[in-house]
Amino acid sequence: MKPQDQSSADPASKEHLRLWLRLLKINRLVEAELRERLRLSFGTTLPRFDVMSALYRNPKGMKMSELSRLLMVSNGNVTGIVDRLTEDGFMLREAVPGDRRAARVRLTRNGIAEFERQAAAHEEWVSELLGGLSPEDTRRMADDLGTALTLDRKDADDA
Amino acid sequence: MKPQDQSSADPASKEHLRLWLRLLKINRLVEAELRERLRLSFGTTLPRFDVMSALYRNPKGMKMSELSRLLMVSNGNVTGIVDRLTEDGFMLREAVPGDRRAARVRLTRNGIAEFERQAAAHEEWVSELLGGLSPEDTRRMADDLGTALTLDRKDADDA
DNA sequence: GTCTGAAATTTTAAGCTTGAAATAAAAATG
DNA sequence: CATTTTTATTTCAAGCTTAAAATTTCAGAC
């Protein structure tokens, strides 16, 4: 497994670039649609949904740094989003016994209920938006991406 | 719904959701890496690269609204990015004869030269980052995404 | 011509995002 | 212990992004 040589006429790099442009495009299409629907249906945003989703899967709460690493966004970014979600009563910061630097964040009862409504709609929307892909294509592509991701390192979780 | 249980009864939507989460993940990984490298190597950003790329492919220039539509970002967004790239001397606004509302933007000679340097590196980086995918997987996935995209809505551009 | 509505662009306010600097507390070192 | 280093988080400045409002100009109806 050696690095590929880099000729500007390398056909493999052209194919990779073609794939990358399509990944980018479908991502933008789906994200734009999800953002619009989250806004209209729930008055929320994708980053807020992502944070609530992470906390929903971790009912005991997560430290800010854990959230930041899982979502692959900066620490300061998480601070702001959690601030606003806390103001809205969907989550709260708790002290971590034995470490006065850290903060543990978890969903409130209200936040759990709200996220469950959002998640149900979200799953339907995603399936609708990717509906052009057959079940076989869907599964195969997810598997292919899985191998690409493991080779790329840095994959933390994954079912 | 209990915490931890986000599944619906529909297995197809489950698979679509799984694929979507992986698309998101690889997108974030690759974008984070490209952003970092563009910053360190060229002192620029992904949105700036995208705008320059669009203009490079349209040497006669594009109207702001055309840029906005092609890149799938808002009008106001394009305004700010073009403003800053213009200050840097990489592009300029020209009047459109017969329509005093519109502005045509095109790369300067300097902008063309700068983009060519960036694009060469960019193509290598993308190929390196997607290197975990074999040529066959790469081609098949790009084709599958192509069909998903045509079904998803109108796709304007290329092959 | 004048009006009215549509189109192209910019402006604005709010939120998202980053990288870097600042705080603060824990851990390691001597 | 005191000092240094590392870790967790927040703050900050700059840029990105959107949706909505405001401007300016065009084009069609009258």
Side-chain angles (χ1 to χ4, degrees), chain A residues 45 47 73-74 77 81 84 99-101:
Chain A
T45 65
V73 299
S74 66
N77 190 353
I81 296 168
R84 285 181 286 272
D99 190 342
R100 274 177 297 180
R101 296 168 302 179

Short mmCIF file of all heavy atoms in Angstrom, two decimals, chain A residues 45 47 73-74 77 81 84 99-101, chain C residues 15-20 24-27:
data_model
loop_
_atom_site.label_atom_id
_atom_site.label_comp_id
_atom_site.label_asym_id
_atom_site.label_seq_id
_atom_site.Cartn_x
_atom_site.Cartn_y
_atom_site.Cartn_z
N THR A 45 -32.41 23.55 13.65
CA THR A 45 -31.38 23.51 12.61
C THR A 45 -30.69 22.14 12.63
O THR A 45 -30.84 21.37 13.58
CB THR A 45 -30.31 24.59 12.86
OG1 THR A 45 -29.63 24.29 14.08
CG2 THR A 45 -30.94 25.97 12.94
N PRO A 47 -27.36 21.48 12.96
CA PRO A 47 -26.41 21.31 14.06
C PRO A 47 -27.11 21.03 15.39
O PRO A 47 -26.63 20.22 16.18
CB PRO A 47 -25.68 22.65 14.10
CG PRO A 47 -25.88 23.25 12.77
CD PRO A 47 -27.15 22.72 12.21
N VAL A 73 -16.68 18.55 15.16
CA VAL A 73 -16.68 20.01 15.09
C VAL A 73 -15.86 20.55 16.24
O VAL A 73 -15.52 19.81 17.18
CB VAL A 73 -18.11 20.59 15.14
CG1 VAL A 73 -18.93 20.09 13.96
CG2 VAL A 73 -18.78 20.23 16.44
N SER A 74 -15.53 21.84 16.18
CA SER A 74 -14.62 22.40 17.18
C SER A 74 -15.30 22.52 18.55
O SER A 74 -16.52 22.54 18.66
CB SER A 74 -14.14 23.77 16.72
OG SER A 74 -15.22 24.67 16.69
N ASN A 77 -17.50 25.60 18.87
CA ASN A 77 -18.75 25.42 18.15
C ASN A 77 -19.79 24.77 19.06
O ASN A 77 -20.92 25.25 19.18
CB ASN A 77 -18.50 24.55 16.92
CG ASN A 77 -19.69 24.52 15.99
OD1 ASN A 77 -20.74 25.06 16.31
ND2 ASN A 77 -19.53 23.92 14.85
N ILE A 81 -23.79 26.05 20.49
CA ILE A 81 -25.01 25.30 20.20
C ILE A 81 -25.65 24.82 21.50
O ILE A 81 -26.87 24.93 21.69
CB ILE A 81 -24.71 24.13 19.24
CG1 ILE A 81 -24.23 24.67 17.89
CG2 ILE A 81 -25.94 23.28 19.05
CD1 ILE A 81 -23.64 23.61 16.99
N ARG A 84 -27.43 27.62 23.37
CA ARG A 84 -28.76 27.99 22.87
C ARG A 84 -29.79 26.90 23.17
O ARG A 84 -30.94 27.20 23.53
CB ARG A 84 -28.69 28.28 21.37
CG ARG A 84 -28.05 29.64 21.08
CD ARG A 84 -27.99 29.94 19.59
NE ARG A 84 -26.97 29.16 18.90
CZ ARG A 84 -25.70 29.52 18.77
NH1 ARG A 84 -25.28 30.65 19.30
NH2 ARG A 84 -24.84 28.75 18.12
N ASP A 99 -13.94 16.51 38.85
CA ASP A 99 -13.23 17.29 37.83
C ASP A 99 -13.98 18.58 37.58
O ASP A 99 -14.96 18.63 36.85
CB ASP A 99 -13.10 16.49 36.53
CG ASP A 99 -12.17 17.17 35.54
OD1 ASP A 99 -11.90 18.39 35.70
OD2 ASP A 99 -11.69 16.51 34.61
N ARG A 100 -13.48 19.63 38.20
CA ARG A 100 -14.22 20.90 38.12
C ARG A 100 -14.04 21.62 36.80
O ARG A 100 -14.64 22.67 36.56
CB ARG A 100 -13.80 21.81 39.29
CG ARG A 100 -14.58 21.56 40.56
CD ARG A 100 -14.09 22.42 41.70
NE ARG A 100 -12.71 22.12 42.06
CZ ARG A 100 -12.03 22.72 43.02
NH1 ARG A 100 -12.61 23.68 43.74
NH2 ARG A 100 -10.77 22.40 43.29
N ARG A 101 -13.19 21.06 35.92
CA ARG A 101 -13.07 21.69 34.61
C ARG A 101 -14.21 21.26 33.71
O ARG A 101 -14.75 22.03 32.92
CB ARG A 101 -11.76 21.25 33.93
CG ARG A 101 -10.52 21.66 34.62
CD ARG A 101 -9.34 20.92 34.01
NE ARG A 101 -9.50 19.47 34.10
CZ ARG A 101 -8.63 18.59 33.63
NH1 ARG A 101 -7.55 19.03 32.99
NH2 ARG A 101 -8.83 17.30 33.77
P DG C 15 -29.97 33.58 17.24
OP1 DG C 15 -31.08 33.00 17.99
OP2 DG C 15 -28.93 34.43 17.86
"O5'" DG C 15 -29.21 32.39 16.49
"C5'" DG C 15 -29.87 31.67 15.48
"C4'" DG C 15 -28.84 30.97 14.63
"O4'" DG C 15 -28.06 31.94 13.91
"C3'" DG C 15 -27.84 30.12 15.42
"O3'" DG C 15 -27.86 28.82 14.87
"C2'" DG C 15 -26.51 30.82 15.20
"C1'" DG C 15 -26.73 31.48 13.85
N9 DG C 15 -25.84 32.59 13.54
C8 DG C 15 -25.69 33.76 14.23
N7 DG C 15 -24.79 34.56 13.70
C5 DG C 15 -24.33 33.86 12.60
C6 DG C 15 -23.36 34.21 11.62
O6 DG C 15 -22.67 35.24 11.55
N1 DG C 15 -23.20 33.22 10.68
C2 DG C 15 -23.89 32.03 10.66
N2 DG C 15 -23.61 31.18 9.68
N3 DG C 15 -24.81 31.70 11.55
C4 DG C 15 -24.98 32.65 12.48
P DC C 16 -27.04 27.65 15.51
OP1 DC C 16 -27.88 26.45 15.39
OP2 DC C 16 -26.50 28.09 16.81
"O5'" DC C 16 -25.83 27.49 14.48
"C5'" DC C 16 -26.13 27.12 13.15
"C4'" DC C 16 -24.85 27.05 12.34
"O4'" DC C 16 -24.26 28.37 12.24
"C3'" DC C 16 -23.76 26.14 12.91
"O3'" DC C 16 -23.30 25.33 11.85
"C2'" DC C 16 -22.69 27.11 13.42
"C1'" DC C 16 -22.86 28.27 12.45
N1 DC C 16 -22.42 29.61 12.93
C2 DC C 16 -21.44 30.29 12.20
O2 DC C 16 -20.94 29.76 11.21
N3 DC C 16 -21.05 31.53 12.61
C4 DC C 16 -21.61 32.09 13.68
N4 DC C 16 -21.21 33.31 14.05
C5 DC C 16 -22.62 31.40 14.44
C6 DC C 16 -22.98 30.18 14.03
P DT C 17 -22.34 24.08 12.07
OP1 DT C 17 -22.43 23.18 10.90
OP2 DT C 17 -22.65 23.58 13.43
"O5'" DT C 17 -20.88 24.70 12.09
"C5'" DT C 17 -20.20 24.92 10.87
"C4'" DT C 17 -18.87 25.56 11.13
"O4'" DT C 17 -19.08 26.91 11.60
"C3'" DT C 17 -18.04 24.93 12.24
"O3'" DT C 17 -17.18 23.95 11.69
"C2'" DT C 17 -17.25 26.13 12.83
"C1'" DT C 17 -17.84 27.33 12.13
N1 DT C 17 -18.11 28.48 13.03
C2 DT C 17 -17.37 29.62 12.85
O2 DT C 17 -16.51 29.73 12.00
N3 DT C 17 -17.67 30.65 13.70
C4 DT C 17 -18.61 30.63 14.70
O4 DT C 17 -18.80 31.62 15.41
C5 DT C 17 -19.35 29.40 14.85
C7 DT C 17 -20.40 29.26 15.90
C6 DT C 17 -19.07 28.39 14.01
P DT C 18 -16.07 23.26 12.61
OP1 DT C 18 -15.73 21.98 11.99
OP2 DT C 18 -16.49 23.30 14.02
"O5'" DT C 18 -14.83 24.25 12.42
"C5'" DT C 18 -14.59 24.78 11.13
"C4'" DT C 18 -13.49 25.82 11.21
"O4'" DT C 18 -14.02 27.04 11.77
"C3'" DT C 18 -12.33 25.39 12.11
"O3'" DT C 18 -11.16 25.31 11.32
"C2'" DT C 18 -12.22 26.47 13.18
"C1'" DT C 18 -13.09 27.60 12.65
N1 DT C 18 -13.87 28.28 13.72
C2 DT C 18 -13.74 29.63 13.89
O2 DT C 18 -13.01 30.32 13.23
N3 DT C 18 -14.53 30.16 14.90
C4 DT C 18 -15.40 29.47 15.72
O4 DT C 18 -16.04 30.05 16.58
C5 DT C 18 -15.48 28.05 15.48
C7 DT C 18 -16.38 27.21 16.32
C6 DT C 18 -14.72 27.53 14.50
P DG C 19 -9.92 24.52 11.92
OP1 DG C 19 -9.21 23.99 10.74
OP2 DG C 19 -10.32 23.63 13.02
"O5'" DG C 19 -9.03 25.68 12.53
"C5'" DG C 19 -8.55 26.70 11.68
"C4'" DG C 19 -7.87 27.76 12.50
"O4'" DG C 19 -8.83 28.43 13.34
"C3'" DG C 19 -6.78 27.24 13.44
"O3'" DG C 19 -5.72 28.18 13.43
"C2'" DG C 19 -7.48 27.18 14.80
"C1'" DG C 19 -8.44 28.36 14.70
N9 DG C 19 -9.65 28.22 15.50
C8 DG C 19 -10.35 27.06 15.78
N7 DG C 19 -11.41 27.27 16.51
C5 DG C 19 -11.41 28.63 16.73
C6 DG C 19 -12.33 29.43 17.47
O6 DG C 19 -13.34 29.09 18.08
N1 DG C 19 -11.96 30.77 17.45
C2 DG C 19 -10.85 31.27 16.80
N2 DG C 19 -10.65 32.58 16.88
N3 DG C 19 -10.00 30.53 16.11
C4 DG C 19 -10.34 29.23 16.12
P DA C 20 -4.39 27.91 14.26
OP1 DA C 20 -3.28 28.20 13.33
OP2 DA C 20 -4.48 26.61 14.96
"O5'" DA C 20 -4.44 29.08 15.35
"C5'" DA C 20 -4.96 30.34 14.99
"C4'" DA C 20 -5.10 31.21 16.22
"O4'" DA C 20 -6.40 31.00 16.83
"C3'" DA C 20 -4.08 30.92 17.32
"O3'" DA C 20 -3.71 32.15 17.93
"C2'" DA C 20 -4.85 30.02 18.28
"C1'" DA C 20 -6.24 30.66 18.19
N9 DA C 20 -7.33 29.79 18.58
C8 DA C 20 -7.46 28.44 18.34
N7 DA C 20 -8.57 27.93 18.84
C5 DA C 20 -9.21 29.00 19.44
C6 DA C 20 -10.42 29.12 20.13
N6 DA C 20 -11.24 28.10 20.35
N1 DA C 20 -10.76 30.34 20.61
C2 DA C 20 -9.93 31.37 20.39
N3 DA C 20 -8.75 31.38 19.74
C4 DA C 20 -8.45 30.16 19.29
P DA C 24 -10.18 32.41 35.40
OP1 DA C 24 -11.43 33.00 35.92
OP2 DA C 24 -8.86 32.95 35.77
"O5'" DA C 24 -10.19 30.86 35.75
"C5'" DA C 24 -11.26 30.06 35.28
"C4'" DA C 24 -10.88 28.62 35.42
"O4'" DA C 24 -9.93 28.27 34.40
"C3'" DA C 24 -10.21 28.28 36.75
"O3'" DA C 24 -11.07 27.39 37.43
"C2'" DA C 24 -8.88 27.64 36.36
"C1'" DA C 24 -9.09 27.25 34.91
N9 DA C 24 -7.92 27.22 34.06
C8 DA C 24 -6.99 28.19 33.85
N7 DA C 24 -6.04 27.86 33.00
C5 DA C 24 -6.37 26.58 32.63
C6 DA C 24 -5.78 25.67 31.73
N6 DA C 24 -4.67 25.93 31.05
N1 DA C 24 -6.38 24.46 31.59
C2 DA C 24 -7.50 24.20 32.27
N3 DA C 24 -8.17 24.98 33.13
C4 DA C 24 -7.54 26.17 33.26
P DA C 25 -10.79 26.94 38.94
OP1 DA C 25 -12.09 26.92 39.63
OP2 DA C 25 -9.64 27.70 39.47
"O5'" DA C 25 -10.32 25.43 38.72
"C5'" DA C 25 -11.19 24.58 37.98
"C4'" DA C 25 -10.44 23.35 37.57
"O4'" DA C 25 -9.38 23.72 36.66
"C3'" DA C 25 -9.77 22.61 38.73
"O3'" DA C 25 -10.14 21.26 38.64
"C2'" DA C 25 -8.28 22.82 38.49
"C1'" DA C 25 -8.22 22.98 36.98
N9 DA C 25 -7.08 23.72 36.46
C8 DA C 25 -6.64 24.96 36.80
N7 DA C 25 -5.58 25.37 36.14
C5 DA C 25 -5.31 24.30 35.29
C6 DA C 25 -4.29 24.10 34.33
N6 DA C 25 -3.35 25.00 34.05
N1 DA C 25 -4.30 22.93 33.66
C2 DA C 25 -5.26 22.03 33.95
N3 DA C 25 -6.26 22.11 34.83
C4 DA C 25 -6.23 23.28 35.48
P DA C 26 -9.85 20.24 39.82
OP1 DA C 26 -11.13 19.56 40.11
OP2 DA C 26 -9.08 20.92 40.88
"O5'" DA C 26 -8.90 19.17 39.12
"C5'" DA C 26 -9.39 18.48 37.98
"C4'" DA C 26 -8.23 17.88 37.23
"O4'" DA C 26 -7.33 18.95 36.83
"C3'" DA C 26 -7.39 16.90 38.03
"O3'" DA C 26 -7.37 15.67 37.34
"C2'" DA C 26 -6.01 17.55 38.15
"C1'" DA C 26 -6.01 18.51 36.98
N9 DA C 26 -5.21 19.72 37.17
C8 DA C 26 -5.44 20.73 38.07
N7 DA C 26 -4.56 21.71 37.98
C5 DA C 26 -3.72 21.33 36.95
C6 DA C 26 -2.59 21.94 36.37
N6 DA C 26 -2.12 23.12 36.77
N1 DA C 26 -1.98 21.28 35.37
C2 DA C 26 -2.47 20.10 34.98
N3 DA C 26 -3.53 19.42 35.44
C4 DA C 26 -4.11 20.10 36.44
P DA C 27 -6.64 14.40 37.92
OP1 DA C 27 -7.35 13.23 37.37
OP2 DA C 27 -6.50 14.60 39.39
"O5'" DA C 27 -5.17 14.44 37.28
"C5'" DA C 27 -5.05 14.55 35.87
"C4'" DA C 27 -3.58 14.58 35.50
"O4'" DA C 27 -3.04 15.90 35.76
"C3'" DA C 27 -2.72 13.59 36.26
"O3'" DA C 27 -1.87 12.95 35.34
"C2'" DA C 27 -1.95 14.47 37.26
"C1'" DA C 27 -1.83 15.77 36.48
N9 DA C 27 -1.71 16.99 37.29
C8 DA C 27 -2.45 17.35 38.38
N7 DA C 27 -2.13 18.52 38.88
C5 DA C 27 -1.10 18.96 38.05
C6 DA C 27 -0.33 20.14 38.06
N6 DA C 27 -0.48 21.13 38.93
N1 DA C 27 0.61 20.26 37.10
C2 DA C 27 0.75 19.27 36.22
N3 DA C 27 0.09 18.12 36.11
C4 DA C 27 -0.84 18.03 37.07
#
